Amino acid sequence: MKDNINAGPSQLRRLLREDIVVAPGVVGGIGALIAEKRGFKAAYLSGSQVAGMMGLPDLSVTTMNEVAEEVQRITAISRLPLIVDVDTGFGEVVNVIRTVRVMEASGASAIHMEDQELPKKCGHLNGKKVIDRDEMIRKISAAASARKNEDFMIIARTDARAVNGLEDAIDRANAYLEAGADAIFTEALESKEEFEKMRKQVKGYLLANMTEDGKSPLLSVDDLRSIGYNIVIFPLTAFRTMLKAIDSIYADIKNYGTQRNSLDKIMRRAEFYDLIGYYDYEKEDNVFFEIKK
């Protein structure tokens, strides 16, 4: 059986000191294993994906416990440090305190929390509203104080760019760092120049969101490294790819009554068993069976 003990917050801190951290959005524990197989050093869990897997919109309809359960499933099987989207912290200051404690206990290495009003929206949609800056500062301060492990990272996300403009987003970013945030996630920047300006005027770790069909240009990891960003997430790329693949194979089965012509699209049994370490589990079971005898 594979030794998949989660690396934890200290590992994420170490990675940040070495190079830009690239964290693809992972679909469950199996997605984390594939990311690990492909050489990624960190992973990301999107709140939109948690909702999407249940067929729900990203409108604050999921609960803290639903996100925590998914975190536990991923960190129980993967070594990768996991960055987790906790929306607005699931409420006010007292809710934020509990959210931090639950996510830390569930195995997350970092969370990001945004300054939107409830009900929140996807960061790249119109019609968002942001809370007062001082209210977010109180939530960040509470989050930083609530963690047990100082390496557990509090990433403050601001959605102010689309609401009040870039200067307010920069002002908020610096205030959030001063309040105790370990990194800043400025959502929905609209050009490479805005990413560069954010880097010049905010003196802390910065996270970039490279989501498809959003307001931000799709900059490469090398682009973001050269600008000076520290973390890049691809939150829904794998999830949306999976949906497209599922739609395609269902269409084939419906149209042709068989999957015979689509076997090249499918991960075959042997590859799947190798990925999950099936035979390692079987050997482990046999060992304990012999001991029991």
Side-chain angles (χ1 to χ4, degrees), residues 112-129:
H112 73 69
M113 177 175 61
E114 65 211 46
D115 57 5
Q116 280 198 54
E117 287 186 7
L118 287 171
K120 59 127 334 180
K121 290 189 173 186
C122 166
H124 291 261
L125 296 181
N126 296 323
K128 298 183 295 181
K129 296 180 180 179

Side-chain angles (χ1 to χ4, degrees), residues 48-163:
S48 180
Q49 180 186 293
V50 174
M53 285 291 287
M54 293 186 278
L56 297 172
D58 185 20
L59 291 170
S60 302
V61 294
T62 50
T63 67
M64 178 192 68
N65 285 340
E66 287 168 336
V67 175
E69 287 167 5
E70 188 64 14
V71 172
Q72 290 166 5
R73 282 189 284 267
I74 293 169
T75 59
I77 203 67
S78 172
R79 297 182 185 90
L80 301 180
L82 184 67
I83 301 168
V84 179
D85 175 4
V86 297
D87 291 342
T88 62
F90 301 102
E92 303 304 323
V93 167
V94 67
N95 307 98
V96 168
I97 291 170
R98 182 160 184 256
T99 295
V100 169
R101 291 173 178 167
V102 169
M103 294 302 159
E104 189 175 6
S106 298
S109 294
I111 59 168
H112 73 69
M113 177 175 61
E114 65 211 46
D115 57 5
Q116 280 198 54
E117 287 186 7
L118 287 171
K120 59 127 334 180
K121 290 189 173 186
C122 166
H124 291 261
L125 296 181
N126 296 323
K128 298 183 295 181
K129 296 180 180 179
V130 292
I131 62 176
D132 182 79
R133 184 175 72 171
D134 289 342
E135 184 179 347
M136 185 62 173
I137 286 171
R138 287 192 291 272
K139 292 172 79 169
I140 293 166
S141 179
S145 298
R147 60 189 167 189
K148 292 183 178 179
N149 184 342
E150 287 300 310
D151 284 334
F152 182 83
M153 292 187 68
I154 309 297
I155 302 170
R157 170 176 144 179
T158 179
D159 285 67
R161 164 63 186 92
V163 181

Side-chain angles (χ1 to χ4, degrees), residues 213-227:
D213 306 316
K215 295 179 180 294
S216 299
L218 293 181
L219 303 176
S220 70
V221 172
D222 284 343
D223 291 333
L224 290 162
R225 181 188 284 111
S226 68
I227 293 171

Side-chain angles (χ1 to χ4, degrees), residues 5 7 15 23 25 32 54 57 67 74 90 94-95 106 114 116 126 138 165-166 174 178 182 192-193 201 237 282 285:
I5 299 172
L15 291 170
M54 293 186 278
V67 175
I74 293 169
F90 301 102
V94 67
N95 307 98
S106 298
E114 65 211 46
Q116 280 198 54
N126 296 323
R138 287 192 291 272
L166 184 60
N174 285 315
E178 189 174 344
D182 299 292
K192 183 178 180 181
E193 290 71 28
Q201 298 193 29
T237 307
E282 199 170 62
D285 184 52

